């Protein structure tokens, strides 16, 4: 009888000390990155048995709309992969958790180890709201053999040097081939050149366009001249059958693109051209120039009930060793300098120019309207190249369009400004949009 009572008591005690079921972190990731990170998550869960990560793969084409819908419905996840140009928008919506307190206590995330321009994309209104996950920027892919045939033994370092090379290459190539391919339905090339200028792209506290500035006028002149001289074809991406085939058959010597194309070019290169092409940092007006601080970052939404577990996940994905494995699987470039010391990156001559470029990247203006603004820039610059729109008219029209896009921002700024006696006497300058 005593044995039976002891057994029952033991069972009751076990029931009272039931183990916690743990927490679930909902993680939204996009495209191929979501597929790859799912494999790494299993290792994170093994290290943290009380945490389960539910990864949802969101197609890039639907991601922005889905995030806004989830925000409206109070259904945002705990952790999310956000494109760097989306971060200001969601920061303005007050959806992102400030992360500086977490970073201050972290033994993994070291701000000094990150490329400064990439880290800065996550600082909005002097508040850190994300941690870079992988980086993206644009630079030159070029044919070493064709450049040598034109009489040059190194890629261009300045705009003037690049112009000289393109003129010589075009003369060598003839009428049906070109020096550089820059599809005119893309904006990354113009944006990269514009970021190399001292003039900001927006002015008056990011409430008006600054495209009439000397810097952007210089950018537009440099860009348009490539087409006017016949160094670049007036073609959009849809008019080019296959950018990789065209590159290897010598249609163009230079091509501006991102890191994902290292794998594509390696995969598609003819055997006889192996080692006869390379990558190089972007030339600037007076030397190696700035570039786009692209890529994605990891954020925690304010609505999350699992912030501590979510931060543990971000720390795990931020480890240099994990970033190196992520790169080896997918090819995305790491945002931490220490990760670039791993042999897979340090000994890769095609990747190293990206590391060099990343030291000079700059964030775009941190306004939620930026996606619309950059499309206006693309439309106007295409009209200059394809339609012959006068450059002076173009920059004024672009400023006009951008000012219209930013009208609500100016109105809100006016409402927030403290009133003065002069304000009270003056007529209203702008109505609510």
């Amino acid at each position: 009888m005593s044995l039976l009572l002891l057994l029952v008591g033991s069972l009751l005690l076990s029931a009272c000390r039931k183990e916690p079921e743990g927490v679930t972190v909902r993680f939204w990731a996009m495209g191929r990155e979501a597929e790859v990170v799912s494999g790494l998550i299993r290792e994170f869960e093994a290290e943290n048995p009380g945490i389960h990560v539910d990864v949802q793969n969101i197609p890039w084409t639907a991601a922005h709309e889905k995030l806004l819908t989830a925000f409206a419905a109070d259904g945002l996840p705990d952790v999310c992969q956000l494109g760097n140009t989306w971060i200001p928008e969601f920061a303005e919506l007050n959806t992102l958790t400030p992360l500086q307190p977490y970073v201050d206590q972290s033994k993994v995330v070291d701000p000094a180890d990150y490329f400064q321009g990439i880290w800065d994309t996550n600082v909005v209104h002097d508040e850190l709201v994300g941690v870079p996950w992988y980086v993206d920027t644009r630079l030159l892919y070029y044919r070493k053999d064709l450049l040598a045939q034109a009489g040059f033994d190194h890629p261009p370092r300045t705009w003037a040097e690049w112009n000289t090379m393109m003129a010589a290459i075009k003369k060598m190539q003839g009428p049906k081939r070109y020096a550089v391919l820059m599809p005119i339905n893309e904006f990354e090339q113009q944006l990269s050149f514009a970021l190399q200028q001292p003039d900001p792209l927006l002015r008056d506290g990011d409430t008006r366009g600054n495209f009439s500035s000397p810097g952007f006028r210089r950018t537009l002149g440099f860009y348009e001249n490539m087409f006017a001289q016949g160094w670049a074809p007036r073609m959009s991406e849809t008019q080019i059958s296959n950018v990789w085939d065209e590159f290897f058959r010598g249609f163009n010597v230079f091509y501006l693109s991102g890191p994902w194309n290292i794998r594509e070019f390696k995969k598609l290169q003819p055997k006889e051209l192996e080692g006869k092409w390379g990558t190089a940092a972007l030339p600037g007006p007076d030397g190696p120039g700035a570039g786009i601080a692209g890529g994605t970052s990891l954020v925690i939404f304010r609505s999350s009930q699992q912030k501590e577990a979510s931060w543990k996940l971000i720390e795990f994905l931020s480890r240099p060793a994990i970033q190196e494995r992520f790169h080896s699987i997918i090819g995305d470039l790491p945002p931490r300098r220490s990760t670039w010391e791993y042999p897979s990156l340090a000994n890769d001559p095609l990747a190293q120019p990206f590391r060099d470029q990343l030291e000079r990247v700059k964030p775009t203006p941190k306004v939620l309207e930026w996606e619309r603004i950059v499309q206006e820039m693309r439309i106007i610059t295409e009209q200059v190249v394809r339609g012959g729109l006068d450059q002076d008219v173009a920059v004024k029209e672009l400023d006009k369009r951008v000012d219209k896009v930013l009208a609500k921002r100016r109105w809100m700024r006016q409402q927030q400004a403290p009133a003065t006696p002069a304000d009270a006497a003056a007529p209203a300058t702008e109505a609510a949009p």
Side-chain angles (χ1 to χ4, degrees), residues 126-175:
D126 297 322
E127 189 170 66
L128 180 70
V129 292
V131 172
W133 188 19
Y134 66 83
V135 294
D136 174 24
T137 192
R138 301 294 196 278
L139 48 60
L140 289 181
Y141 287 73
Y142 72 103
R143 286 281 300 271
K144 295 179 182 179
D145 54 339
L146 296 180
L147 189 61
Q149 285 180 32
F152 304 96
D153 61 1
H154 63 271
R157 291 161 293 201
T158 66
W159 282 9
E161 192 174 38
W162 197 12
N163 282 340
T164 300
M165 290 180 179
M166 288 189 287
I169 290 168
K170 179 58 181 176
K171 185 177 180 180
M172 177 187 76
Q173 291 276 72

Side-chain angles (χ1 to χ4, degrees), residues 27 29-40 57 60 81 133-136 141 258-267 296 317 321-335 339 344-345 348 351:
F27 178 21
M30 286 68 173
R32 175 68 176 143
E33 282 77 18
E35 298 173 15
V36 171
V37 79
S38 295
L40 299 174
N57 188 337
W60 271 112
Q81 168 191 358
W133 188 19
Y134 66 83
V135 294
D136 174 24
Y141 287 73
W260 63 88
N261 261 326
I262 291 178
R263 289 193 171 203
E264 293 300 319
F265 278 118
K266 278 184 175 181
K267 183 171 65 176
T296 69
L317 295 175
I322 296 299
Q323 289 189 350
E324 191 277 336
R325 283 170 52 194
F326 189 62
H327 163 75
S328 68
I329 298 169
I330 195 172
D332 288 342
L333 299 181
T339 310
S344 61
L345 285 156
D348 185 346

Side-chain angles (χ1 to χ4, degrees), residues 14 28 67 69 110 166 170 202 220 236 239 257 328 331 344 353 425:
S14 298
W28 285 9
L67 282 164
T69 301
D110 177 10
M166 288 189 287
K170 179 58 181 176
L202 301 179
L220 185 57
S236 64
Q239 295 174 282
S257 191
S328 68
S344 61

Side-chain angles (χ1 to χ4, degrees), residues 113-398:
D113 192 33
Y114 287 77
F115 297 108
Q116 183 57 47
I118 296 294
W119 185 265
D120 190 42
T121 62
N122 288 269
V123 180
V124 182
H125 301 312
D126 297 322
E127 189 170 66
L128 180 70
V129 292
V131 172
W133 188 19
Y134 66 83
V135 294
D136 174 24
T137 192
R138 301 294 196 278
L139 48 60
L140 289 181
Y141 287 73
Y142 72 103
R143 286 281 300 271
K144 295 179 182 179
D145 54 339
L146 296 180
L147 189 61
Q149 285 180 32
F152 304 96
D153 61 1
H154 63 271
R157 291 161 293 201
T158 66
W159 282 9
E161 192 174 38
W162 197 12
N163 282 340
T164 300
M165 290 180 179
M166 288 189 287
I169 290 168
K170 179 58 181 176
K171 185 177 180 180
M172 177 187 76
Q173 291 276 72
K176 295 185 178 180
R177 295 189 177 194
Y178 299 88
V180 62
L181 178 61
M182 295 192 299
I184 57 178
N185 64 318
E186 298 177 351
F187 65 80
E188 286 83 3
Q189 297 90 342
Q190 307 93 296
L191 180 57
S192 296
F193 302 147
L195 290 171
Q196 297 176 346
Q197 306 295 334
D199 300 305
L201 294 171
L202 301 179
R203 62 183 177 87
D204 295 353
D206 289 342
T207 63
R208 290 189 181 275
N210 196 36
F211 295 94
S212 295
S213 66
F216 191 78
R217 285 173 179 266
R218 188 181 185 190
T219 292
L220 185 57
F222 174 68
Y223 175 73
E224 194 272 335
N225 186 57
M226 295 186 191
F227 298 91
Q229 297 291 338
W231 302 338
R234 292 182 172 90
M235 300 172 69
S236 64
E237 195 173 39
T238 56
Q239 295 174 282
I240 303 162
S241 59
N242 185 304
V243 294
W244 306 284
D245 288 347
E246 298 296 349
F247 180 76
F248 286 123
R249 77 177 184 88
F251 180 75
N252 54 287
V253 173
F254 296 109
Y255 177 54
L256 275 73
S257 191
W260 63 88
N261 261 326
I262 291 178
R263 289 193 171 203
E264 293 300 319
F265 278 118
K266 278 184 175 181
K267 183 171 65 176
L268 298 169
Q269 66 183 352
K271 193 169 184 178
E272 64 272 16
L273 290 181
E274 185 175 353
K276 295 183 178 180
W277 60 278
T279 58
L282 278 180
D286 305 302
I292 301 170
T296 69
S297 297
L298 298 171
V299 303
I300 301 174
F301 285 113
R302 285 183 183 269
S303 57
S304 171
Q305 301 299 307
Q306 311 296 347
K307 290 185 175 64
E308 292 298 329
S310 296
W311 177 250
K312 283 187 176 182
L313 175 60
I314 289 178
E315 283 190 313
F316 174 81
L317 295 175
S318 299
R319 294 179 190 171
I322 296 299
Q323 289 189 350
E324 191 277 336
R325 283 170 52 194
F326 189 62
H327 163 75
S328 68
I329 298 169
I330 195 172
D332 288 342
L333 299 181
R336 302 187 65 158
R337 296 182 180 93
S338 58
T339 310
W340 284 83
E341 300 303 318
Y342 282 81
S344 61
L345 285 156
N347 299 331
D348 185 346
L350 295 171
Q352 280 302 304
F354 281 95
R355 193 223 179 281
D356 177 40
Q357 186 74 59
L358 288 167
E359 293 288 359
R360 294 185 300 279
V361 295
K362 292 182 179 179
T364 53
K366 298 171 186 178
V367 296
L368 62 85
E369 302 91 347
W370 180 248
E371 297 280 341
R372 294 169 60 193
I373 291 170
V374 81
Q375 290 304 324
E376 294 291 354
M377 185 191 73
R378 179 192 63 78
I379 292 167
I380 293 297
T381 55
E382 182 173 350
Q383 289 176 0
V384 171
V385 169
R386 196 189 286 275
L389 181 65
D390 180 80
Q391 291 184 24
D392 288 336
V393 174
V395 294
K396 292 175 183 176
E397 175 63 19
L398 183 51

